[in-house]
Amino acid sequence: MSDLKTKGLKAFIWDLLGNLGTHASSLIVTIFLARLLEPSDFGLIAIIMVIVSVATIFSDVGLGGALIQRSKVLPIHYSSVFFFNITAGFLLTLLTYLSAGQISLFYNSPQLLPLIQVMSSLFIISAFHAVQSVILRKELNYELLTKVNLIASIISGVIGVLLAFWGAGVWSLVAQLISREVLINILIWSRSSWAPSLTFSFKALKQLWGYGMNMFLAGLLDTIYERADYLIIGKLFAPATLGFFHQAKQLNMLVVKYSAGSLMSVLFPVLSKIQNDLEQFRRVVIKSTGIISFVTFLIIGGLFLVADELIVLLLGAKWEASIFYFKILALSGFAYPISALMVNVLSSRGKSRAFLKLEIYKKIIQSITFYVLFAFGIKAFLYSLIVTSALGTSLNIFFAARELDLSFWTIVRPILIQAFIVFPAVIITLLLTAQMDLSDFPIMLLKGTIFLVLYLLINGLLKVNAFKDVLEQFESLLTMFKSRKKEKLT
């Protein structure tokens, strides 16, 4: 294998293992907290995290992505971005702390005031490790990133669960989130070889600004729209309703988003390195589209089938109201992984202006769902997400195809193939298990097994290219593991 392919594959494996470990620990923590806390507690934290996630975009303004995309980066670039992040983090912490009263008044919830004031510290804390994380990603050193995130997630999760068990209520969630960022700082500073020099240059920032500003605006739009449903539901409905929706969305994103998250995270620096080799770039994108579609629809079908049993088994009977939300969100779950790949095509080739234009078009479409939420309620809003997700994904594919000088059909074909395969696999599974009187875990296991066999069988019988590519990647992994084992023996 080529050096870049080997590095990329190794980075993907480490990031995938990290995501699996981190989110497995997160899921375990969520299971404990969901049984110890009330839905309203999660609703309060959901509102706060909207504010935090939106404000966090301002602490970086796209400069991290610019450092990865730029081929020639000097030490002055890293140091300048570091001190910019620290300054922005401090200002955001101060601004959020001072605004806590107005935010809690807007939501008519005095409980939010101290929570927001304490959570505002996240901005300055996370700013300290932002550049180190960017450097590790640029160098494809996902081994260290994985270990840092996994250790921090496990320890902070234990802290959160213990505090919830001792009756800390919603403060256990606050402690979990803050302690995770503190631990990441401690671990990454103790292991990273980079440290900032006492130099700062506005000229260095300006060199990154053209790409970074467009990416910042696109990221800001994306974060606001991704979290706006929380703000609206939190204002219109009780905190418990937002808690049910939050858990459904988080559980769905935990599986669907992070199933392709590792590939997306690694692909950006890899694609940035081959951005000038259009032919190789096309091959990587087309193959990745097939693999991501295969994995995404496999997961979506499985989630939809086992949703009823999964929610009750993991979170308990008091979270049954989340089941409907979870099922419909799963149906629109195809959009994120595929769209993430398409926008990576633009960002890795430095097309930040096209990236921003694309995000604006998608947000105009997505605005329809918020009108539906206001006018018709949460259920109608969830159904509208399926339609707008399909439209937004189509826009992403159109822009990516134009950038690569490919036909729209070339990219969309492997996606449609998996969409048509998953439908009969789900229907047949439901028909086969409809009359079976089994308890939650056995029926969930049976549904999952039947669906997996059918999905793989149909792909195999139709000789789908994506299925062949997945098998090829497994063979590459085995080859790499065998070669590393031989190196250790010798």
Side-chain angles (χ1 to χ4, degrees), residues 163 199 253 284 302 356 401 483 487:
L163 288 174
T199 54
M253 292 300 284
V284 172
L356 176 58
S483 63
E487 289 174 5

Side-chain angles (χ1 to χ4, degrees), residues 106-250:
F106 176 79
Y107 283 101
N108 194 28
S109 177
Q111 288 176 279
L112 282 174
L113 177 60
L115 295 172
I116 294 171
Q117 288 176 333
V118 173
M119 289 286 283
S120 67
S121 64
L122 280 174
F123 301 124
I124 187 64
I125 297 171
S126 60
F128 274 95
H129 67 77
V131 172
Q132 281 94 336
S133 299
V134 165
I135 293 172
L136 292 174
R137 285 182 62 204
K138 187 177 179 70
E139 295 174 349
L140 296 177
N141 188 0
Y142 281 80
E143 180 176 354
L144 179 54
L145 274 175
T146 292
K147 291 176 180 178
V148 166
N149 284 305
L150 184 57
I151 293 170
S153 295
I154 292 173
I155 295 176
S156 63
V158 171
I159 291 171
V161 171
L162 288 175
L163 288 174
F165 183 76
W166 290 330
V170 70
W171 286 102
S172 60
L173 295 171
V174 174
Q176 180 197 359
L177 293 167
I178 292 179
S179 63
R180 183 179 185 275
E181 289 300 314
V182 171
L183 286 165
I184 288 176
N185 266 309
I186 294 171
L187 292 168
I188 211 163
W189 275 88
S190 64
R191 296 294 304 277
S192 175
S193 59
W194 180 86
S197 59
L198 295 176
T199 54
F200 180 85
S201 169
F202 282 108
K203 183 179 178 181
L205 289 180
K206 189 177 179 181
Q207 290 172 347
L208 301 169
W209 201 262
Y211 177 89
M213 179 51 68
N214 287 324
M215 298 303 291
F216 156 68
L217 293 174
L220 179 62
L221 274 175
D222 190 56
T223 302
I224 291 173
Y225 273 76
E226 186 180 333
R227 301 278 185 166
D229 48 6
Y230 286 161
L231 294 175
I232 298 170
I233 293 171
K235 180 64 176 175
L236 297 179
F237 302 93
T241 301
L242 178 57
F244 290 129
F245 176 78
H246 169 71
Q247 282 291 41
K249 186 174 181 179
Q250 287 297 103

Side-chain angles (χ1 to χ4, degrees), residues 11 72 75 78-79 84 100 217 301 304 337 343 367 390:
K72 185 179 180 181
Y78 290 121
S79 292
F84 176 88
L217 293 174
F304 184 83
V343 297
S367 297

Side-chain angles (χ1 to χ4, degrees), residues 28 77 123 146 162 221 226 275 315 360 384 415 435 468:
I28 293 169
H77 290 107
F123 301 124
T146 292
L162 288 175
L221 274 175
E226 186 180 333
Q275 58 183 290
L315 307 181
I360 292 172
S384 70
I415 302 169
Q435 303 303 320
K468 295 177 184 177

Side-chain angles (χ1 to χ4, degrees), residues 433-487:
T433 58
Q435 303 303 320
M436 294 183 181
D437 187 18
L438 298 172
S439 56
D440 287 343
F441 185 74
I443 193 66
M444 186 175 72
L445 190 62
L446 183 61
K447 284 180 182 178
T449 303
I450 293 173
F451 171 71
L452 176 62
V453 171
L454 287 171
Y455 189 77
L456 297 178
L457 183 62
I458 297 172
N459 267 280
L461 291 174
L462 295 178
K463 298 180 179 179
V464 178
N465 288 333
F467 185 51
K468 295 177 184 177
D469 290 335
V470 170
L471 294 178
E472 181 186 306
Q473 294 306 311
F474 273 115
E475 290 176 5
S476 296
L477 289 176
L478 290 174
T479 301
M480 191 176 76
F481 282 131
K482 286 178 182 177
S483 63
R484 291 189 67 183
K485 190 175 180 180
K486 286 181 181 178
E487 289 174 5

Side-chain angles (χ1 to χ4, degrees), residues 301-314:
L303 286 178
F304 184 83
L305 284 168
V306 304
D308 296 80
E309 298 83 15
L310 185 67
I311 295 290
V312 174
L313 279 172
L314 292 182

